[in-house]
Amino acid sequence: MCSEKEKVKWKNKTEKKGGNKIKFIAIGLVALIIVGAGGYFGYSKFAKDKGTQKTAAPAAVQTAQTTTQAKTTQNQSYLEQIVSEKNIGLDECLVNLADEDGKRYVKTKIFVGYDKNSKLETELTEKKPLIRDAVIAVLRSKKAAEITPKNMDSLKMELIQKINPLLKKGQINNVYFSDLLVQ
């Protein structure tokens, strides 16, 4: 049937195929061990980082709340002390809020207060569209949860800081809300 030479060739081929399978399995095991070790190292490193962040976050939040409360108290005392001699009303504003669902809005009527200054009064009248645009931009950036009675003073201060750079003949010193409806 087969000569001795053919038997030897066939035997060598099967041994080579078997050797290739062993090499393939060995390489696969080494790769699996490396991937497993890397996964364990990465998991343990990131799990420790998450634990550290969880404990550090409340301290940062607490510090931010304390700072916000201090600023609100300063704003409150500042705005309570300032009683404007004159004021000018802006037209009613109806503005969509920045809530995720996009269905919330605020409707308000705002007056800006200032000291007696005829030049500022004419400038405020002339720049009413610019001032309304600034008010709308600030309100549009807010969420409904941010427009609460305890946040009103910081909202007023933000409006003052946004409006005053637009004026050249004087500065406003207070903002008054005559109507405020959040839906």
Side-chain angles (χ1 to χ4, degrees), residues 68-135:
T68 305
Q69 288 172 352
K71 285 182 181 178
T72 302
T73 305
Q74 289 173 351
N75 292 345
Q76 225 172 12
S77 63
Y78 170 76
L79 292 173
E80 287 174 358
Q81 292 173 5
I82 301 295
V83 178
S84 303
E85 295 176 7
K86 294 188 92 177
N87 60 60
I88 187 169
L90 305 177
D91 298 331
E92 189 173 82
C93 296
L94 181 64
V95 179
N96 290 328
L97 295 172
D99 289 309
E100 286 80 27
D101 60 3
K103 297 178 182 176
R104 307 290 305 260
Y105 65 90
V106 63
K107 180 178 177 182
T108 185
K109 173 84 172 165
I110 296 176
F111 289 83
V112 292
Y114 57 96
D115 291 330
K116 286 184 182 179
N117 182 345
S118 62
K119 293 179 182 178
L120 183 59
E121 185 173 354
T122 56
E123 184 179 20
L124 286 171
T125 305
E126 291 170 1
K127 293 189 175 181
K128 194 183 251 187
L130 296 173
I131 296 168
R132 280 182 43 84
D133 183 59
V135 169

Side-chain angles (χ1 to χ4, degrees), residues 51-67:
T52 306
Q53 288 175 354
K54 286 180 183 175
T55 58
V61 169
Q62 195 172 31
T63 304
Q65 287 174 346
T66 305
T67 305

